[in-house]
Amino acid sequence: MRYFKLIIAYDGTDFHGWQIQANKPTIQGEIVNVLRHVTQENVQLHGAGRTDAGVHALGQMGSFRTQSALSASEFQRALNALLPPTIRIAAAEEVGPDFNARWSARGKAYSYRLYRCKVVPPMLWRYVLHYPFPLDEEPMRDAASRFAGTHDFASFAASTGSEEDDKGRSTEREIFSTELARSPEGEELVFTVRGRSFLRYMVRKMVGTLLDVGRGKLQASDIDRLYELRDRSKSGPTVPPQGLCMVSVDLEESFRL
């Protein structure tokens, strides 16, 4: 048996997220279909994280095992030849049997892009949230810095859809770093967050809360109060998915080259 790691980039606009769903196009489903066609095996693909419908990736990580004799570069060429152009295998590498894209990941980095000018260029609209209205950015930066550390993010997470599961899950998460900065051209406000793991819609709720701070509906100091409240109705709205991108996956030290 042989083991492979993939670095995957995709435009999530036309897909119902990463995870395979019956009768719906998904990133994982598209890649699995090609792998099974190429290997003639019932290949299973593991991902480092599950992006939601409409969310993009530059550095999603996947792993699979196979008895195929194809090399990593041959898998990369075959996948890119047969996948839709909205999904690309940026890199492929043969790894050891202990590697798993989900369990070998130490953390993930996401970015969310807010386009601040009056008119969105047509080549950008699928990847940004257009917000040309006034925002006070300094308190937003203060609020963004308060997400770093280990906190209970219950106020910033969507329901799982099951009341029983919601009661049983831990909503404590560790955030390594955050940044809210203007793009080099000054046209975008970009929120970047790195953490060990994330709850469903967590980053999008964080951005919605930052927007409420920028609009004056919340204060930066309210972030600390929201941790204590554990009430998602008190935080900002869940912003749309198109501005969100999984930028990279960090590996545990033992799996780094």
Side-chain angles (χ1 to χ4, degrees):
M1 192 66 70
R2 300 168 69 212
Y3 303 81
F4 291 89
K5 177 180 76 175
L6 304 176
I7 303 299
I8 307 160
Y10 49 85
D11 177 335
T13 308
D14 301 326
F15 297 95
H16 290 260
W18 164 264
Q19 189 174 13
I20 290 176
Q21 299 181 49
N23 303 316
K24 292 181 179 178
T26 66
I27 308 298
Q28 186 184 38
E30 294 285 341
I31 299 172
V32 164
N33 287 342
V34 173
L35 285 173
R36 291 177 179 177
H37 172 74
V38 169
T39 64
Q40 296 298 296
E41 299 170 5
N42 186 29
V43 174
Q44 306 296 317
L45 177 69
H46 301 280
R50 300 175 182 177
T51 53
D52 294 311
V55 175
H56 316 293
L58 290 173
Q60 169 72 282
M61 186 179 293
S63 62
F64 67 95
R65 63 180 188 173
T66 177
Q67 297 187 56
S68 170
L70 291 177
S71 68
S73 60
E74 287 171 328
F75 269 118
Q76 183 181 16
R77 286 196 298 271
L79 284 162
N80 284 337
L82 297 172
L83 285 167
T86 45
I87 305 174
R88 295 291 87 182
I89 306 303
E93 176 189 349
E94 188 163 1
V95 292
D98 293 336
F99 183 85
N100 179 284
R102 181 178 179 188
W103 303 117
S104 302
R106 177 181 180 269
K108 295 180 275 292
Y110 288 89
S111 68
Y112 196 96
R113 298 165 62 186
L114 298 165
Y115 195 79
R116 303 288 289 127
C117 297
K118 289 184 179 180
V119 179
V120 181
M123 67 286 296
L124 288 184
W125 71 271
R126 290 160 69 104
Y127 312 109
V128 299
L129 173 64
H130 187 207
Y131 198 88
F133 312 107
L135 288 173
D136 190 346
E137 294 182 16
E138 281 309 308
M140 291 176 70
R141 291 189 180 90
D142 182 2
S145 70
R146 295 169 186 257
F147 289 131
T150 301
H151 307 287
D152 187 334
F153 283 92
S155 291
F156 302 93
S159 169
T160 62
S162 164
E163 191 172 320
E164 197 62 35
D165 288 347
D166 284 348
K167 288 180 181 177
R169 69 173 174 168
S170 170
T171 49
E172 186 175 280
R173 292 293 185 273
E174 181 183 2
I175 298 300
F176 303 141
S177 66
T178 61
E179 182 184 39
L180 184 69
R182 282 275 180 169
S183 64
E185 300 80 12
E187 297 171 336
E188 296 180 22
L189 191 58
V190 183
F191 175 61
T192 304
V193 56
R194 291 177 170 82
R196 186 168 295 279
S197 63
F198 296 84
L199 299 162
R200 189 182 185 207
Y201 295 171
M202 179 172 153
V203 178
R204 290 162 60 188
K205 286 281 281 182
M206 292 163 81
V207 174
T209 302
L210 292 179
L211 283 173
D212 272 1
V213 171
R215 291 186 283 239
K217 296 178 69 174
L218 290 171
Q219 303 298 311
S221 58
D222 286 329
I223 302 299
D224 303 307
R225 180 177 61 87
L226 288 168
Y227 293 139
E228 297 177 4
L229 288 175
R230 303 186 76 255
D231 183 350
R232 59 181 174 268
S233 70
K234 303 299 184 184
S235 60
T238 302
V239 292
Q242 74 270 14
L244 184 60
C245 180
M246 179 191 282
V247 178
S248 62
V249 176
D250 296 325
L251 293 176
E252 293 287 357
E253 190 68 38
S254 59
F255 293 104
R256 297 176 195 170
L257 294 178

